[in-house]
Amino acid sequence: MLMKEQQKIQHLYFRACFGASLEELEQQKNKNLKNIIKEVFDKASKIKNIEIVERPKIADRNNLTEQERRLLRKESRQKIKNLNVLWLKQMTEPQCALRERMTLFWHNHFACKTQNAYLTQKQNNLLRNYALGKFGDLLHAISKDPAMLQFLNNQQNRKEKPNENFARELMELFTLGRGNYTEKDIKEAARAFTGWGFDFSGEYVFRERQHDFDSKTFFGKTGNFNGDDIINIILENPKTALFIVRKIYTHFVNDKVDEAIVQDLASYFRKTNYDIKALLEKILSADWFYEQKNIGTHIKSPIELLVHYQKFFGLDFEDERSWLFVQKVLGQILFYPPNVAGWQEGKSWIDSSTLLFRMTLPDLIFGQKEVEINSKDDGDVDTEGLGKREAKILQSRVDWNKITKHIKTSSQKEIFEKLQNWLLPIASKNLSDDKIEGSGEVFIKNTIRQLTTSPEFQLC
């Protein structure tokens, strides 16, 4: 089925830019798709780092009292909460959309958690800076990132006692995928990463005395390999391109993978030296990306859902802890992935409790009611402190003028269709304008409330 140009633009924005406000759609209505895609990438060329946490001063923390340590940990937890809310709001900015979208993708791909706010911020900016560059550069950088080295225990990886955690996840989760390497490869790679660590100031350091300089054999090659050599050998393996492309395709296009397309994209990815931007341009410009079978098939992640509420309605909470509370109940808290494998996407976002919460969220936001619902299990992490009871009352602010000033059509049927086309990737099966009460602004508010409660609003 052929799609109208406006539907294609809407699909592009849903998948690549966290959706579009009515104002953005108005600005794009006389432009063709090709020019809009170019504009999306042009905006993404600018990088806006988040910098609210100062670099720690080098100090011997062994001299701190237990009370001083507790205070530092408490301050750090609060700063990570601040980073969470700040990043969430940055995702709504039109000029940041695609880059933040990819930063979020890599945040899940290189899933990592640290209680150190500075390292959290540093890694977030690293992902942002390399989000649309060469995957090889990103891989080399994340392999020397202090938060990742800490999370996967490489600080303890020494010649006398190699720690295999980082080497194992590098191949299983970050590049090749399970079944494409041997236990011997892991052991040899772990030796190559010995001595890779970081100091108190949060900077990567190579500890020469802890590094194994002896010969290693990895994927049939023998040499005095270090960690960078291991990464380069992994990048030479075609299965790395295939693994990354399949994950990007599943995330941005469809859970049901078209193997022929993925193989073609993987080949292109290798030819361009793992150029992430070039790969995304090829995907977002392809005719098959806009085929009907790829429309409205993606279940919004909790973060996507929250960004849509912010971006579409200008939503904000009186108590910023409410942002964290909602993330916790929905099962995705920025900077707190459940484990090193990250969040499982697609249907895993939905269970009986999260579905109920998603469907009632509009009433809670607009009605400021108290939530009575249990949150999902945290996996390897404990985020109980993020869901304080006082944050359960969602005292919100919605910018209705942001919406009503763009609704100039007269009949309720036209208003309904405009709002539906804007908010839903596919038409609602159960709603129509004659089922919604009120007139004028009341009708607009009631329509939005009904549409955001519909199952189709959970898709994009």
Side-chain angles (χ1 to χ4, degrees):
M1 181 184 295
L2 293 176
M3 291 180 64
K4 295 179 180 176
E5 195 75 354
Q6 191 61 32
Q7 287 177 289
K8 292 182 180 180
I9 295 169
Q10 185 80 339
H11 182 57
L12 169 70
Y13 271 90
F14 266 137
R15 295 295 174 89
C17 303
F18 295 112
S21 65
L22 276 176
E23 183 176 10
E24 286 178 276
L25 290 179
E26 289 284 335
Q27 292 169 352
Q28 307 293 16
K29 65 181 181 182
N30 295 322
K31 300 177 184 175
N32 65 42
L33 183 63
K34 184 178 178 181
N35 288 338
I36 294 173
I37 293 172
K38 182 180 183 305
E39 191 175 295
V40 166
F41 279 95
D42 285 346
K43 288 180 178 177
S45 64
K46 297 175 183 175
I47 302 173
K48 182 180 177 182
N49 282 331
I50 295 176
E51 294 175 338
I52 59 171
V53 186
E54 293 182 0
R55 181 196 298 269
K57 297 176 182 175
I58 299 176
D60 185 356
R61 296 195 176 197
N62 293 324
N63 293 330
L64 296 177
T65 66
E66 184 52 38
Q67 184 177 2
E68 289 171 329
R69 289 169 185 267
R70 279 201 299 270
L71 180 61
L72 277 178
R73 288 195 292 269
K74 182 179 179 181
E75 289 176 350
S76 191
R77 284 197 297 272
Q78 182 56 50
K79 289 174 182 174
I80 292 175
K81 293 177 187 176
N82 296 341
L83 286 169
N84 178 307
V85 175
L86 195 58
W87 185 20
L88 191 67
K89 293 185 176 180
Q90 185 158 302
M91 291 178 194
T92 68
E93 298 177 18
Q95 65 273 23
C96 299
L98 178 60
R99 184 166 292 276
E100 296 307 321
R101 190 76 178 74
M102 283 308 296
T103 304
L104 180 61
F105 174 82
W106 295 121
H107 177 55
N108 193 29
H109 182 76
F110 295 109
C112 177
K113 173 179 169 289
T114 172
Q115 294 182 354
N116 184 314
Y118 179 73
L119 298 190
T120 298
Q121 174 182 273
K122 185 182 179 78
Q123 186 185 83
N124 184 245
N125 286 331
L126 182 155
L127 296 176
R128 181 171 292 107
N129 279 266
Y130 288 95
L132 292 164
K134 298 290 179 65
F135 176 72
D137 294 339
L138 170 59
L139 191 59
H140 279 285
I142 201 71
S143 299
K144 293 176 180 172
D145 174 63
M148 184 61 77
L149 293 171
Q150 180 190 60
F151 186 54
L152 295 180
N153 309 112
N154 214 71
Q155 190 84 328
Q156 293 82 42
N157 189 11
R158 301 180 175 92
K159 178 179 180 180
E160 299 76 19
K161 193 176 181 181
N163 186 302
E164 298 172 2
N165 279 4
F166 178 76
R168 183 179 299 279
E169 306 308 352
L170 172 67
M171 285 180 267
E172 179 179 332
L173 297 173
F174 300 163
T175 56
L176 294 163
R178 188 173 294 178
N180 293 315
Y181 52 87
T182 66
E183 285 298 310
K184 175 70 173 176
D185 290 326
I186 293 173
K187 292 183 185 300
E188 294 292 273
R191 291 176 55 210
F193 285 102
T194 49
W196 286 37
F198 59 95
D199 59 22
F200 281 125
S201 69
E203 293 299 321
Y204 165 80
V205 293
F206 174 63
R207 298 190 169 95
E208 192 171 327
R209 290 183 180 180
Q210 297 175 6
H211 183 68
D212 183 344
F213 285 95
D214 293 339
S215 180
K216 306 157 188 87
T217 298
F218 182 69
F219 279 102
K221 296 184 176 182
T222 301
N224 295 326
F225 299 139
N226 59 28
D228 286 320
D229 297 323
I230 294 296
I231 289 171
N232 289 336
I233 293 172
I234 288 174
L235 290 170
E236 291 172 3
N237 192 325
K239 291 177 180 174
T240 296
L242 194 59
F243 181 76
I244 299 301
V245 165
R246 179 172 280 112
K247 193 163 184 177
I248 287 177
Y249 181 95
T250 302
H251 185 84
F252 286 93
V253 183
N254 201 318
D255 289 345
K256 295 178 181 177
V257 173
D258 185 318
E259 287 297 336
I261 290 176
V262 166
Q263 291 285 348
D264 179 59
L265 290 173
S267 176
Y268 179 75
F269 199 32
R270 288 195 73 207
K271 285 178 183 174
T272 60
N273 194 22
Y274 290 89
D275 190 320
I276 301 165
K277 179 186 171 189
L279 175 66
L280 282 176
E281 284 179 325
K282 189 173 179 66
I283 291 173
L284 300 179
S285 302
D287 290 339
W288 48 256
F289 178 73
Y290 300 94
E291 289 178 354
Q292 197 65 47
K293 65 181 180 182
N294 295 323
I295 307 299
T297 57
H298 177 81
I299 298 175
K300 293 176 186 174
S301 71
I303 296 302
E304 286 175 296
L305 187 66
L306 280 177
V307 174
H308 285 179
Y309 274 111
Q310 285 183 289
K311 200 167 190 177
F312 295 169
F313 314 122
L315 171 67
D316 203 358
F317 291 114
E318 296 286 345
D319 186 342
E320 288 204 327
R321 290 174 299 180
S322 294
W323 289 115
L324 294 153
F325 173 76
V326 174
Q327 290 176 48
K328 179 172 172 58
V329 175
L330 290 173
Q332 186 184 28
I333 308 174
L334 293 174
F335 305 125
Y336 292 90
N339 50 53
V340 68
W343 294 281
Q344 301 304 304
E345 300 183 330
K347 294 180 180 177
S348 65
W349 291 127
I350 302 294
D351 59 27
S352 56
S353 65
T354 58
L355 179 60
L356 175 64
F357 188 66
R358 281 172 177 251
M359 304 300 276
T360 56
L361 193 54
D363 286 337
L364 296 170
I365 288 172
F366 301 132
Q368 300 181 5
K369 297 177 181 177
E370 184 169 356
V371 181
E372 292 295 340
I373 194 167
N374 294 321
S375 58
K376 296 184 75 171
D377 182 67
D378 284 320
D380 291 351
V381 299
D382 178 13
T383 58
E384 192 58 35
L386 298 175
K388 298 291 186 183
R389 180 174 177 78
E390 53 267 35
K392 289 184 176 182
I393 300 176
L394 306 181
Q395 293 181 310
S396 59
R397 296 187 294 268
V398 176
D399 186 357
W400 289 110
N401 184 54
K402 181 184 177 78
I403 302 162
T404 54
K405 69 180 181 182
H406 295 289
I407 307 294
K408 297 175 182 175
T409 45
S410 55
S411 77
Q412 292 194 343
K413 184 177 180 62
E414 288 175 318
I415 293 172
F416 177 85
E417 288 180 354
K418 178 161 186 169
L419 291 174
Q420 177 174 245
N421 292 338
W422 169 46
L423 295 173
L424 308 185
I426 51 178
S428 170
K429 295 178 180 177
N430 303 314
L431 289 174
S432 59
D433 61 289
D434 56 2
K435 294 181 179 178
I436 297 173
E437 297 179 348
S439 61
E441 190 169 317
V442 173
F443 177 80
I444 293 172
K445 290 180 178 179
N446 286 341
T447 301
I448 287 174
R449 199 162 174 163
Q450 292 287 330
L451 289 171
T452 52
T453 315
S454 70
E456 290 82 5
F457 185 69
Q458 305 307 318
L459 304 172
C460 70

